[in-house]
Amino acid sequence: MGELGYFGMMVFCLLVFMGSTEAQLQMGFYSSSCPNAETIVQDYVNRHIHNAPSLAATIIRMHFHDCFVRGCDASVLLNTTSSNNQTEKLATPNLTLRGFGFIDAVKSLLEAACPGVVSCADVIALVARDAIVATGGPSWRVPTGRRDGTISRSSEAMNNIPPPTSNFTNLQRLFANQGLDLKDLVLLSGAHTIGVSHCPSFSNRLYNFTGVVGTQDPALDSEYAANLKARKCRSLNDNTTIVEMDPGSFRTFDLSYYTLLLKRRGLFQSDSALTTNSATLSFINQLLQGSLQNFFAEFATSMEKMGRINVKTGTTGEIRKQCAFVNS
């Protein structure tokens, strides 16, 4: 085989290899099969997100929780249909997810326009981006062509989604398992600049930190802790009160989340953990010295990377007709 023939073969093999992973995600994947797909999604988001702007935070969280379990394949949307298989929806980290109806509404419009063409996985990815943009946050590229998975297990959600009680080692491990590095960890955690949480995600830091009732996390600013105990989570048993993750600025996608981390006012242990490693702490300081536009650009890069985790493309998976059920 001549040099050119060998080189050509190598390039072909490389393209086949790439094609089996992320190369089949492409910008405008539906441009011929469903030309208005992305416009339909964006129009629906722009018309309805202002009725419930808090959904922007819950849907970006849904996208994150989806991608961390079996890749970005909409496995988080599947309902439990038999008692012997609990789906991801029923796992503890997903019990507070909202926005399933919003995703279903978008999907039904797409089905009416182009039956069986646009995946639920792409709907989540597009809605997450469009909702953040519509509420004043950054934009990012969303290449499409993801296909929907057919398997969903609550145990896998429990094992792969980083819990709010994570220390740095656990966060690093769970992100690395998905091909994400420390920079991605800091940037994606920055989505905590919007949205709310429920007390059980952090109340152990206030009342039961070492397993002994009455102990408090010394890494949490004592004034902030006292305020949370007095005004928000008044007992360890409170599981209904909601608390802003970025107090005073929880509707604005900005850098104040990182400012609060340096004041020891990150709400979760997993927030505070970002300041316990020299590399992540240094990157937080770097973000704070830069502009909001710089943060938006960096965040966009990590979001696009997350949206490519273990995607199913080509003939793998399926295009679900209804997002909560696999096709029969």
Side-chain angles (χ1 to χ4, degrees):
M1 184 185 288
E3 265 183 49
L4 192 59
Y6 176 75
F7 177 72
M9 195 66 186
M10 289 296 289
V11 169
F12 174 72
C13 290
L14 182 65
L15 287 173
V16 167
F17 171 71
M18 282 171 60
S20 66
T21 54
E22 62 182 43
Q24 287 173 356
L25 283 192
Q26 59 191 64
M27 295 302 291
F29 178 84
Y30 299 109
S31 57
S32 54
S33 58
C34 189
N36 294 326
E38 295 193 27
T39 308
I40 289 169
V41 176
Q42 194 177 38
D43 286 352
Y44 186 86
V45 170
N46 290 344
R47 279 203 316 277
H48 295 280
I49 198 72
H50 300 290
N51 300 329
S54 63
L55 275 180
T58 60
I59 291 173
I60 199 173
R61 180 170 174 241
M62 181 193 288
H63 184 27
F64 170 57
H65 285 201
D66 181 39
C67 293
F68 266 60
V69 187
R70 295 187 166 264
C72 314
D73 69 346
S75 53
V76 73
L77 301 180
L78 288 171
N79 284 350
T80 296
T81 51
S82 70
S83 54
N84 61 359
N85 176 44
Q86 307 274 290
T87 60
E88 292 168 35
K89 262 187 182 178
L90 296 179
T92 305
N94 291 331
L95 293 176
T96 48
L97 282 184
R98 296 181 301 121
F100 295 107
F102 198 93
I103 298 293
D104 287 340
V106 172
K107 173 66 170 169
S108 63
L109 290 176
L110 291 165
E111 284 299 301
C114 317
V117 174
V118 182
S119 69
C120 298
D122 278 342
V123 172
I124 299 177
L126 289 165
V127 170
R129 190 268 315 274
D130 291 347
I132 294 292
V133 171
T135 51
S139 185
W140 59 90
R141 283 165 32 104
V142 180
T144 42
R146 295 166 190 78
R147 288 170 65 85
D148 298 323
T150 54
I151 297 169
S152 180
R153 298 189 180 115
S154 65
S155 58
E156 292 179 357
M158 290 297 289
N159 292 336
N160 289 290
I161 295 169
T165 51
S166 294
N167 61 19
F168 179 78
T169 309
N170 199 35
L171 288 173
Q172 184 175 26
R173 177 181 64 84
L174 291 171
F175 272 68
N177 286 349
Q178 307 298 339
L180 299 172
D181 59 26
L182 294 183
K183 194 172 173 183
D184 299 316
L185 167 60
V186 171
L187 288 162
L188 295 172
S189 298
H192 289 172
T193 177
I194 53 169
V196 296
S197 172
H198 294 79
C199 295
S201 296
F202 58 88
S203 53
N204 67 308
R205 300 186 79 194
L206 303 174
Y207 294 106
N208 189 22
F209 188 63
T210 60
V212 177
V213 175
T215 52
Q216 196 167 293
D217 183 353
L220 186 62
D221 175 72
S222 55
E223 196 182 316
Y224 182 41
N227 191 337
L228 286 169
K229 286 161 98 165
R231 300 186 179 184
K232 297 290 185 180
C233 309
R234 294 193 169 124
S235 80
L236 199 50
N237 305 320
D238 181 339
N239 54 15
T240 53
T241 303
I242 56 173
V243 180
E244 300 164 11
M245 290 192 285
D246 183 1
S249 168
F250 78 108
R251 289 196 178 91
T252 313
F253 210 106
D254 57 21
L255 285 159
S256 66
Y257 163 77
Y258 297 113
T259 305
L260 290 173
L261 291 188
L262 299 188
K263 292 180 175 172
R264 302 191 309 132
R265 292 187 170 211
L267 191 58
F268 303 144
Q269 263 172 277
S270 59
D271 293 323
S272 141
L274 300 178
T275 64
T276 64
N277 169 270
S278 59
T280 50
L281 181 58
S282 160
F283 188 53
I284 290 167
N285 279 303
Q286 206 178 308
L287 285 170
L288 285 170
Q289 283 154 21
S291 64
L292 184 62
Q293 282 64 36
N294 174 64
F295 167 47
F296 277 17
E298 297 267 26
F299 182 81
T301 303
S302 287
M303 280 303 301
E304 185 180 343
K305 188 173 170 184
M306 187 190 84
R308 292 180 179 274
I309 295 173
N310 291 331
V311 291
K312 295 167 176 63
T313 59
T315 54
T316 315
E318 64 180 19
I319 305 296
R320 271 181 232 149
K321 293 183 181 70
Q322 285 181 281
C323 291
F325 305 97
V326 296
N327 296 341
S328 50

